[in-house]
Amino acid sequence: MEIKNMLLESLVFENTSEKLKELDRLKKLEKVISKLNGMKEVGECKFHVVNVYEHSIKALEEFEEILKDEEFFSSHLRNNIKGYLNEEVESHLKKIHLLKLSIFLHDIGKADSKTVDDTGRVHFRGHEVVGAKISRELGESLNLDERSIELIEKYVRYHMVLLALYKKNDMSKENLTEIFDILGKDCIGVFILGYCDIVATRRLLNPNEDMNIIKVYMEYALTNYIYRYKQSL
């Protein structure tokens, strides 16, 4: 129980990524997260130059940088996003804390979903579904409330939504509405996770790439949720 508490307590610090790395160095994190070693063994492929563990830490670091920058989000979004992240889900745990954990866990399903095709190319199809199940099991082992478990599960299950929008370049009302119907206000956390995921990946592949392009997609979706979809309910 002590190590589980250490993991949960790490979420409230500004430098959660450093706290998790320290727990890992002390061989404590693997005692709570059974798939941790698997995260270190898979992940490198056409789209990733590091393993899942390293990528997840970098994605969490991206989120921590966002939190440090009070002007990161456009002015019309800041208060809504801040209010969302500061919603308390259970005692001592807000959505911001559960989102941190989910960012670290978002690719945890890759070890169990890895396949290699005839050309030798590695795939992780369905890793978000597998990861959501693993995340639920972890939430239960941490004795989290059902609301917290469901939120972590949702974040991990849908973390690729923003990437899909970006790849397809389909920000139509119909497509966004379908997403909003499924995610509700938690689309805010899902889109932020998606942004951190994409940027953490692309910074390693192309350090000179302008990440504002990804940010524009995220903010367009968030604007549509807050100022159109939400107000139409």
Side-chain angles (χ1 to χ4, degrees):
M1 182 60 71
E2 179 185 353
I3 300 176
K4 292 180 179 180
N5 288 336
M6 291 175 70
L7 171 58
L8 294 176
E9 288 169 1
S10 72
L11 303 177
V12 305
F13 287 91
E14 290 184 1
N15 61 334
T16 297
S17 57
E18 289 300 320
K19 297 293 182 182
L20 293 182
K21 286 190 281 187
E22 178 63 18
L23 288 175
D24 180 44
R25 284 192 290 269
L26 295 172
K27 302 296 182 181
K28 293 183 177 181
L29 196 58
E30 63 192 42
K31 295 180 180 179
V32 184
I33 302 177
S34 62
K35 300 290 184 179
L36 187 70
N37 290 329
M39 291 173 68
K40 296 178 179 180
E41 294 169 357
V42 302
E44 296 181 47
C45 61
K46 178 180 179 181
F47 304 104
H48 288 274
V49 297
V50 294
N51 63 45
V52 167
Y53 172 80
E54 292 176 14
H55 164 68
S56 300
I57 288 291
K58 289 184 180 299
L60 182 53
E61 289 172 346
E62 287 292 340
F63 184 48
E64 291 170 342
E65 288 301 313
I66 289 174
L67 295 175
K68 292 176 185 177
D69 185 355
E70 295 184 357
E71 297 186 351
F72 176 81
F73 291 103
S74 297
S75 57
H76 68 284
L77 294 172
R78 288 175 200 157
N79 288 339
N80 286 281
I81 292 173
K82 183 177 181 180
Y84 172 82
L85 292 176
N86 283 299
E87 285 182 22
E88 188 173 273
V89 184
E90 63 176 279
S91 179
H92 308 302
L93 284 177
K94 299 178 180 179
K95 287 188 173 180
I96 187 175
H97 306 133
L98 297 173
L99 182 54
K100 283 184 178 182
L101 179 58
S102 301
I103 290 172
F104 181 69
L105 298 175
H106 75 276
D107 276 346
I108 198 169
K110 283 192 170 181
D112 290 348
S113 60
K114 178 182 176 180
T115 59
V116 182
D117 65 23
D118 294 339
T119 67
R121 183 174 173 182
V122 177
H123 301 277
F124 303 102
R125 295 188 181 95
H127 75 275
E128 68 277 15
V129 176
V130 176
K133 182 177 182 295
I134 295 171
S135 298
R136 163 167 281 280
E137 293 169 351
L138 175 62
E140 291 171 348
S141 74
L142 293 172
N143 296 316
L144 296 178
D145 287 353
E146 180 61 22
R147 285 183 61 207
S148 295
I149 295 172
E150 288 180 354
L151 187 60
I152 295 169
E153 189 177 20
K154 182 187 288 186
Y155 285 152
V156 174
R157 169 65 179 83
Y158 293 101
H159 76 268
M160 296 182 70
V161 166
L162 182 63
L163 180 61
L165 289 172
Y166 176 70
K167 283 185 172 181
K168 295 178 181 178
N169 194 25
D170 183 0
M171 305 292 280
S172 64
K173 178 182 177 180
E174 292 75 19
N175 200 18
L176 290 177
T177 297
E178 182 179 355
I179 292 169
F180 299 152
D181 285 344
I182 295 171
L183 300 178
K185 64 181 178 181
D186 293 319
C187 68
I188 296 175
V190 168
F191 284 133
I192 293 174
L193 194 166
Y195 171 86
C196 295
D197 179 21
I198 297 169
V199 171
T201 299
R202 300 187 75 86
R203 282 195 197 284
L204 294 178
L205 291 172
N206 186 3
N208 296 320
E209 183 177 352
D210 185 359
M211 299 304 166
N212 278 321
I213 298 172
I214 311 299
K215 184 180 176 183
V216 167
Y217 273 81
M218 172 180 64
E219 291 205 333
Y220 182 83
L222 292 175
T223 299
N224 271 269
Y225 171 74
I226 293 169
Y227 291 97
R228 291 186 179 275
Y229 180 89
K230 186 178 176 181
Q231 294 186 7
S232 70
L233 297 178

